[in-house]
Amino acid sequence: LGESVKRTRLRFIWFVTILAVLAAILLYTRMGSTPNIKKKIYSQWSKEYVVTKDKLSYIRTTNSKTEDVVLSEAQGYGMVIAVDAAKQGDASSADFEKLYQYYLAHRLKDTQLMSWKQTIKDGKSNHEDENNATDGDLYIAYALIQAAKQWPDKAKEYQDQAQAILKDVLAYNYNESNGVLTVGNWANAESKFYNLMRTSDTLPQQFQAFYELTKDKQWLTIRDNMLSKLEAISADNKTGLIPDFIWVEGDKVRAADADTVESANDGYYSYNACRLPYNLAQSKDEKSQKMLKKMLNFFLSQEKIYAGYTLKGKALNSNQAGSFTAPVFYAANNNMEFRKLVQQNKYLFMQGLPSDNYYDAAVTTMIALETL
């Protein structure tokens, strides 16, 4: 009986030891694989979406075999991604510089703002839209600020160019009557869209960085004004969800109607507003965190995060999308209260990027590099 007990005890010890070793190996593998996951995601994104012609690079946003379409928003994402990848040694200053040079080559006449859309056939740009999109230029300016820190030898050039962009954003994309940014230079005081606000243009951390660079307190005022508008619309529903576009008329704020400017979902939590959990989570200010927590509590109550919702929380689609999932993952990652959302959605980074959706791929890549 004594020998039997000893053998049983020995088996138990060996069993526990093996489990401990396996757990250690699994932990080591997971920790060690994080840089590899980031490298793999960045590599795939670069291969699928970055097109280089001589000394210029642009981000492909369509799947056409006859032409490429470039958007300033995508170029901004690409420049941010290049800096993030450089921080872990997977991108070079040359990679960023080629993206930067493309932006320089496609500025609107007499401004530092980028044409929001270019169509390229046979390697040549045969059409450039003569308007800008505010979010594209905001991301480009922020990327330049980050690039100045990453490559000090180019710091002055990048900082000077960022300041020039921001000066023109205030000149061409600012609504003086309500103190928020317009959706583009075409939505001027003579336009019926002057009081239309794209909610995802609210970038509190970036506005802080713009203030630190320019010393212009107007960026802090814009930050506070735009957060206040989001706060007002967030308070109107139990979900805390915010629509893609809102009308700002004095102290009154309301969701845009369907097909106001982009799609039938303009007044819903859709492909613009889905960036808000990412935008708000980057900032620690009280307003951002309050709105973010309300949204995360809604997502915590859902079995899955679908690609769009009404403001009351009804899913608009039955599919999921990285542009909706990744921002929630990012926002939940730094708050133990929402770890369930991290566990539910980490699968996103274990699968390949879509090869036919630049937006999902860009948002997922950017967040993977900044979170994992």
Side-chain angles (χ1 to χ4, degrees):
L1 182 63
E3 288 297 317
S4 177
V5 171
K6 287 181 180 179
R7 283 195 297 270
T8 301
R9 184 176 298 170
L10 187 60
R11 289 194 194 99
F12 177 76
I13 292 172
W14 273 108
F15 179 72
V16 172
T17 302
I18 291 170
L19 281 180
V21 170
L22 288 174
I25 291 172
L26 180 61
L27 180 61
Y28 176 82
T29 301
R30 289 183 63 186
M31 292 179 66
S33 68
T34 296
N36 292 332
I37 292 173
K38 294 163 74 173
K39 181 187 290 290
K40 182 179 179 181
I41 290 174
Y42 173 71
S43 176
Q44 185 184 356
W45 174 80
S46 299
K47 183 178 179 180
E48 294 283 359
Y49 295 101
V50 180
V51 179
T52 300
K53 303 288 185 181
D54 298 322
K55 296 182 179 180
L56 307 181
S57 293
Y58 61 80
I59 308 304
R60 175 183 64 83
T61 67
T62 57
N63 305 304
S64 171
K65 294 182 179 180
T66 60
E67 66 181 29
D68 283 342
V69 173
V70 185
L71 303 175
S72 61
E73 171 196 271
Q75 199 70 12
Y77 294 150
M79 292 170 69
V80 170
I81 287 170
V83 178
D84 287 342
K87 292 177 182 178
Q88 64 177 38
D90 292 330
S92 67
S93 60
D95 295 325
F96 179 85
E97 185 68 19
K98 289 176 182 178
L99 293 166
Y100 172 55
Q101 289 300 322
Y102 181 89
Y103 146 72
L104 290 176
H106 295 86
R107 289 170 290 179
L108 300 177
K109 185 179 179 181
D110 298 326
T111 82
Q112 302 304 315
L113 307 176
M114 184 175 175
S115 162
W116 86 274
K117 180 180 181 181
Q118 306 93 54
T119 304
I120 298 173
K121 288 186 177 180
D122 301 321
K124 296 181 180 179
S125 178
N126 66 353
H127 177 75
E128 293 190 30
D129 195 279
E130 296 181 358
N131 296 307
N132 86 307
T134 303
D135 51 355
D137 288 299
L138 294 177
Y139 273 100
I140 291 169
Y142 185 65
L144 286 166
I145 293 172
Q146 297 304 105
K149 298 174 183 177
Q150 181 67 22
W151 297 291
D153 58 318
K154 301 279 288 186
K156 187 177 187 309
E157 177 186 349
Y158 290 159
Q159 289 173 342
D160 286 350
Q161 189 58 39
Q163 292 206 56
I165 293 171
L166 296 173
K167 181 179 179 182
D168 277 352
V169 168
L170 294 180
Y172 297 102
N173 303 137
Y174 177 69
N175 184 319
E176 294 184 358
S177 66
N178 59 33
V180 307
L181 297 179
T182 65
V183 295
N185 62 336
W186 54 274
N188 54 37
E190 287 72 45
S191 166
K192 65 179 181 179
F193 297 105
Y194 190 49
N195 293 317
L196 186 69
M197 176 178 144
R198 184 192 294 106
T199 57
S200 56
D201 287 349
T202 308
L203 300 164
Q205 176 181 274
Q206 284 78 0
F207 293 158
Q208 179 67 33
F210 298 162
Y211 162 69
E212 291 172 1
L213 173 68
T214 64
K215 308 307 179 187
D216 186 345
K217 290 185 178 180
Q218 188 172 354
W219 287 108
L220 300 182
T221 302
I222 289 172
R223 179 194 65 191
D224 293 342
N225 287 343
M226 294 183 76
L227 283 173
S228 293
K229 307 311 178 189
L230 296 192
E231 192 174 37
I233 205 89
S234 170
D236 277 347
N237 57 75
K238 293 180 180 180
T239 64
L241 295 176
I242 295 167
D244 278 3
F245 295 95
I246 59 176
W247 289 107
V248 179
E249 297 159 342
D251 294 330
K252 296 181 179 180
V253 178
R254 61 182 174 87
D257 295 324
D259 298 308
T260 294
V261 65
E262 281 191 5
S263 78
N265 295 329
D266 284 348
Y268 295 147
Y269 181 85
S270 192
Y271 278 91
N272 284 290
C274 65
R275 301 197 298 263
L276 281 170
Y278 170 66
N279 295 359
L280 298 175
Q282 294 178 75
S283 178
K284 301 304 179 185
D285 70 273
E286 186 176 341
K287 288 182 180 178
S288 293
Q289 290 302 308
K290 180 181 178 181
M291 287 185 283
L292 179 63
K293 186 172 182 179
K294 190 174 181 180
M295 278 194 284
L296 290 180
N297 276 321
F298 165 75
F299 290 121
L300 197 62
S301 71
Q302 305 298 298
E303 290 185 9
K304 295 180 179 179
I305 298 173
Y306 292 106
Y309 293 88
T310 68
L311 299 191
K312 291 184 178 180
K314 181 182 178 180
L316 298 174
N317 301 286
S318 59
N319 65 292
Q320 296 179 275
S323 49
F324 288 81
T325 304
V328 173
F329 177 92
Y330 179 94
N333 194 56
N334 293 322
N335 192 325
M336 290 300 295
E337 186 177 348
F338 300 105
R339 292 302 293 177
K340 181 182 176 182
L341 288 170
V342 174
Q343 297 301 317
Q344 285 178 338
N345 297 293
K346 63 183 179 182
Y347 74 89
L348 177 66
F349 307 104
M350 307 302 172
Q351 59 189 20
L353 294 175
S355 60
D356 59 352
N357 189 318
Y358 94 89
Y359 186 61
D360 280 356
V363 173
T364 300
T365 300
M366 189 160 55
I367 288 174
L369 294 176
E370 295 177 13
T371 310
L372 299 181

